[in-house]
Amino acid sequence: MFYQLRQGLSKLLSITGGINYFWNKLPNGVYAFNYHRIGDKSQTPFDRAIFSCTEKAFEEQVLLLKSHFTVINTIELAELIKSDKIVSGRFAVITFDDGYLDNYTNALPILLKHNVPAVFYLATEFLSVNQITWWDEVAYLLRHSKEMTYQLPKAIRQYQLDECDIDKSIQLIMTDIKQTKTISVLEALDDIRAKFPLAKQKLLSEEHKLFMGWKEAHGLVAKGMEIGSHTLTHPILSQLDNKQHQDEVIESKRILEETLQCKINSIAYPVGRYYCYNEKTFKFAESAGYQIGFNNEPGFHRSIYHNLDINRFCVATNDLNYLKYECCFI
């Protein structure tokens, strides 16, 4: 409901010309933008909500950000924080989470074409093994189990997997999985596998390559892009015990640096909402030597008091005016 209201307001402001007025009045500071997948979401059987925008829209957004901000990487951002020069201009950081292959095939050529830097947050296990993540598998299994019902273990709400609103049902179930404290993400996935065996069998019979490998990661470095850590296995960090939590944060940095032979300056916390990381995350990130840590909560910074807890606008639109609206009013 709130999303529809914001969309309506953004359309009204774009019609009246008000959105450009507020856009041109944006205060100085740091605006970080987080992308996931780039492409046509209607063509995937996996998680469609993970798509940020189409290739055409991404190029339009890159040109918009380049014209309105000084686009920097996290090394430059860390220097701005140290020198207390955040308010000296409008700075944008373009980031990608997860390391989907379309980041390399679809987004990278656009960034290179317009000479714009970006930071790619990679989970080391995704680089090493051709796999399907829990959220993509959940979406696939539910999408291929239409007209059935699903209820998380120990949950009250039951979802009807109707074809007409299957994407909405999938996202509601995803939210429940991320927020529940009664079972882990992997336990929820195992439950869905058990309840929808035919969909699981279909998935196992197919071949899919969703993520970049080490070859593409090396290619990003060679082409001047920055790499950051997105942990080892992309868990919800706040659900882990101390040893697992520490390994996900510290070992991922070590593996990336040793394999890619480059400095890993920053980390982006998986999922990145406030309930997905905690003070232990900051402790481990600081001990590992990260200079910058990104969450996935919307907002910009006129000043940065906590360099390991920086907000990002999560891009999920093809509409330039709505992107402007989020920067101005969220």
Side-chain angles (χ1 to χ4, degrees):
M1 178 180 178
F2 290 111
Y3 177 69
Q4 284 82 3
L5 178 60
R6 292 197 300 265
Q7 279 191 317
L9 287 172
S10 72
K11 287 179 181 178
L12 177 62
L13 285 169
S14 65
I15 291 171
T16 61
I19 194 67
N20 286 327
Y21 171 82
F22 289 107
W23 175 250
N24 290 324
K25 296 290 185 179
L26 275 182
N28 288 350
V30 173
Y31 298 72
F33 299 87
N34 185 26
Y35 292 86
H36 287 84
R37 299 198 65 177
I38 303 297
D40 181 0
K41 65 182 179 181
S42 69
Q43 300 303 305
T44 184
F46 297 105
D47 187 4
R48 291 176 180 172
I50 208 75
F51 279 78
S52 296
C53 59
T54 64
E55 291 172 76
K56 180 177 182 293
F58 179 65
E59 183 163 22
E60 292 173 346
Q61 291 174 18
V62 165
L63 290 171
L64 176 73
L65 297 180
K66 183 179 180 180
S67 67
H68 207 66
F69 299 90
T70 300
V71 184
I72 60 175
N73 61 26
T74 73
I75 299 168
E76 295 166 305
L77 175 57
E79 288 300 317
L80 284 171
I81 295 172
K82 289 177 183 177
S83 61
D84 197 26
K85 292 183 178 179
I86 293 299
V87 295
S88 65
R90 281 196 301 255
F91 302 98
V93 185
I94 297 175
T95 70
F96 289 84
D97 280 6
D98 302 336
Y100 279 96
L101 183 59
D102 55 57
N103 292 179
Y104 192 85
T105 58
N106 297 347
L108 179 62
I110 294 169
L111 293 166
L112 294 174
K113 176 182 176 182
H114 298 291
N115 194 30
V116 172
V119 191
F120 294 80
Y121 289 98
L122 308 179
T124 57
E125 186 173 294
F126 297 0
L127 294 166
S128 303
V129 181
N130 185 21
Q131 65 169 280
I132 296 171
T133 61
W134 71 263
W135 60 89
D136 277 319
E137 185 172 347
V138 165
Y140 183 100
L141 297 179
L142 296 174
R143 194 179 305 284
H144 287 83
S145 303
K146 293 172 185 173
E147 309 312 322
M148 300 177 72
T149 60
Y150 180 67
Q151 184 175 356
L152 275 170
K154 304 178 184 179
I156 298 174
R157 185 170 183 179
Q158 185 178 77
Y159 294 94
Q160 182 70 36
L161 303 176
D162 294 329
E163 184 168 5
C164 61
D165 59 359
I166 187 65
D167 286 329
K168 179 180 178 181
S169 297
I170 288 171
Q171 291 315 306
L172 289 171
I173 293 169
M174 283 293 192
T175 299
D176 282 353
I177 291 173
K178 293 172 185 176
Q179 293 184 352
T180 183
K181 298 186 184 302
T182 58
I183 61 171
S184 71
V185 165
L186 294 182
E187 287 171 333
L189 175 58
D190 285 340
D191 182 69
I192 293 172
R193 287 169 174 168
K195 289 177 177 173
F196 304 114
L198 294 180
K200 177 62 178 176
Q201 184 178 355
K202 177 175 173 58
L203 178 59
L204 290 174
S205 70
E206 301 170 348
E207 290 188 12
H208 299 278
K209 181 172 173 53
L210 297 181
F211 292 91
M212 289 185 273
W214 286 108
K215 177 182 177 182
E216 288 82 13
H218 279 285
L220 290 172
V221 175
K223 290 175 171 59
M225 296 296 157
E226 184 186 346
I227 303 296
S229 169
H230 206 38
T231 71
L232 297 170
T233 63
H234 198 287
I236 293 178
L237 293 169
S238 59
Q239 294 181 353
L240 303 181
D241 64 34
N242 280 350
K243 181 62 167 62
Q244 293 172 315
H245 199 151
Q246 183 178 40
D247 287 347
E248 289 285 346
V249 173
I250 296 176
E251 282 299 296
S252 57
K253 183 176 189 289
R254 181 189 64 78
I255 292 171
L256 287 170
E257 288 182 336
E258 287 185 0
T259 308
L260 298 176
Q261 292 295 294
C262 67
K263 175 71 172 175
I264 302 301
N265 189 65
S266 61
I267 183 171
Y269 312 126
V271 182
R273 305 314 297 261
Y274 286 138
Y275 55 82
C276 296
Y277 62 100
N278 52 35
E279 289 298 323
K280 291 180 182 178
T281 311
F282 302 145
K283 173 186 172 183
F284 297 138
E286 186 173 8
S287 67
Y290 291 107
Q291 298 298 306
I292 299 293
F294 283 116
N295 61 41
N296 212 19
E297 294 285 349
F300 78 101
H301 294 270
R302 296 190 187 189
S303 59
I304 293 178
Y305 301 104
H306 198 328
N307 61 305
L308 295 175
D309 197 15
I310 298 174
N311 296 342
R312 291 185 293 176
F313 294 99
C314 189
V315 181
T317 183
N318 292 323
D319 186 349
L320 282 180
N321 285 318
Y322 187 71
L323 184 65
K324 292 178 182 178
Y325 175 85
E326 284 199 315
C327 291
C328 294
F329 299 108
I330 295 179

